[in-house]
Amino acid sequence: MKYQITASIVTYNNNREVLLQAINSFLDTSLEIHLILVDNSPANTLCDITSDSRVTYIFNNANLGFGAAHNIAIRQAQKLSEYHIVLNPDVYFNKGTIEKLYQYMNQKSGVGLVMPKVLYPDNSIQYLCKLLPTPKDLFLRRFMKGNKDALDKRNQIFELRFTNYTNEMSVPYLSGCFMFLRCSILEEVGLFDERIFMYSEDLDLSRRIHQKYDTKFYPEAMIYHHFAKGSHKSLKLLWYAIQGNIIYFNKWGWFSDRERDSINEAALEKLEADVK
């Protein structure tokens, strides 16, 4: 292996300052690393964002989607590195965060994916640990914002808020904003499903990893995420989210999904016991 860790960031007309913060966060380490910046933008105006030799810039001249663009980088990373991090262009973190996660994965050979605690810039928690969703879960989250009591009650379970996110835990669905992946397991379970343009690709990959390996939340490492929630503000992005959900449920099952029920039941049983 040439590197200890590789990472990829997929960009599309991103704010340069915010993107540079994400890039510099990853580069601020003494580990042997390499970053692949995959640009889906219509013009290559980000090509000069950094001159660091540890960064490779790839211009697609087309918007391939989140998963397909990350797959370009991951295919390269599998030949070069033991671990690969999928990074959002709007995350940042302190020096030492990468090292904590690297050490954690070295000690936990059965873990295929780990996600740190994710905070808003104001230090409040982003609840990004989730059970595998039912169609009802996603419908409530998208279209029933007015029914706050019902949504909050469901999120106590679906987003595992009852755990308070204070301890390490096994979670079947971890956010794609920061996915620390073991490259060897991707050879077995596959990469992002490129039929999903964006949204739900992290759910699908998390689930495939969780079928065979542990997928962990590790709160000793923390990152910050601006979290724009674009699909809640843009009809175009909302349509991408709906398309992604349709592909996901067609693949795994809509209302009848015994594996989902079994995985969620096992996760809740373990977490509820740990909380008591």
Side-chain angles (χ1 to χ4, degrees):
M1 293 291 182
K2 187 177 180 182
Y3 303 110
Q4 292 169 299
I5 305 172
T6 53
S8 53
I9 297 176
V10 171
T11 67
Y12 183 81
N13 291 340
N14 292 93
N15 178 284
R16 287 178 69 95
E17 183 178 346
V18 173
L19 175 58
L20 191 58
Q21 191 177 27
I23 292 170
N24 289 337
S25 291
F26 176 69
L27 296 177
D28 189 15
T29 179
S30 59
L31 294 172
E32 291 294 321
I33 61 166
H34 195 80
L35 174 65
I36 303 172
L37 195 62
V38 187
D39 194 356
N40 280 346
S41 305
N44 66 341
T45 54
L46 295 172
C47 65
D48 62 348
I49 194 165
T50 179
S51 59
D52 196 299
S53 61
R54 296 173 294 171
V55 180
T56 296
Y57 174 81
I58 299 173
F59 178 59
N60 287 327
N61 198 28
N63 190 357
L64 305 181
F66 181 91
H70 271 295
N71 283 351
I72 292 172
I74 296 172
R75 289 187 185 101
Q76 294 186 23
Q78 287 175 303
K79 305 170 187 175
L80 301 172
S81 178
E82 186 175 1
Y83 303 112
H84 184 80
I85 307 176
V86 170
L87 286 174
N88 261 30
D90 59 349
V91 302
Y92 61 97
F93 41 90
N94 296 326
K95 185 179 180 64
T97 300
I98 297 293
E99 287 83 353
K100 283 183 181 179
L101 292 164
Y102 178 71
Q103 183 179 26
Y104 176 84
M105 288 292 269
N106 281 341
Q107 295 172 347
K108 305 278 187 175
S109 60
V111 175
L113 162 64
V114 64
M115 185 187 77
K117 179 178 284 190
V118 184
L119 305 175
Y120 289 103
D122 68 0
N123 286 310
S124 59
I125 295 176
Q126 292 186 21
Y127 295 102
L128 299 181
C129 296
K130 302 183 184 74
L131 299 176
L132 298 179
T134 65
K136 181 180 179 181
D137 286 321
L138 297 186
F139 181 83
L140 282 172
R141 291 165 63 81
R142 295 281 175 183
F143 303 111
M144 298 296 287
K145 296 291 186 181
N147 193 346
K148 189 175 183 302
D149 290 342
L151 190 59
D152 287 349
K153 183 177 180 180
R154 177 53 186 162
N155 279 338
Q156 284 294 319
I157 304 298
F158 177 62
E159 294 180 338
L160 308 176
R161 295 191 183 202
F162 68 89
T163 67
N164 295 317
Y165 282 48
T166 52
N167 298 316
E168 177 184 338
M169 53 187 178
S170 182
V171 179
Y173 173 19
L174 294 168
S175 169
C177 74
F178 190 111
M179 305 178 86
F180 195 115
L181 299 154
R182 194 180 302 274
C183 287
S184 61
I185 67 97
L186 295 175
E187 296 281 353
E188 185 177 352
V189 306
L191 309 185
F192 285 115
D193 187 334
E194 297 187 8
R195 297 174 302 161
I196 302 175
F197 186 81
M198 63 188 301
Y199 304 115
S200 296
E201 72 288 317
D202 54 352
L203 163 59
D204 176 72
L205 182 57
S206 287
R207 178 167 181 168
R208 282 186 278 125
I209 296 172
H210 190 79
Q211 285 178 317
K212 298 183 177 184
Y213 298 90
D214 214 346
T215 50
K216 286 286 193 177
F217 166 74
Y218 181 58
E220 297 303 311
M222 293 186 294
I223 69 164
Y224 297 89
H225 180 207
H226 291 287
F227 200 25
K229 290 187 178 180
S231 66
H232 294 261
K233 303 172 184 177
S234 162
L235 288 177
K236 182 178 181 180
L237 294 180
L238 175 60
W239 175 239
Y240 286 144
I242 292 171
Q243 285 181 315
N245 292 339
I246 290 171
I247 293 168
Y248 172 81
F249 286 119
N250 282 343
K251 181 177 184 176
W252 295 100
W254 285 77
F255 302 101
S256 178
D257 183 349
R258 291 183 180 179
E259 183 185 66
R260 173 184 65 208
D261 297 341
S262 177
I263 289 172
N264 286 346
E265 183 179 343
L268 281 174
E269 182 177 352
K270 174 68 166 60
L271 292 170
E272 287 171 348
D274 290 344
V275 168
K276 290 180 181 178

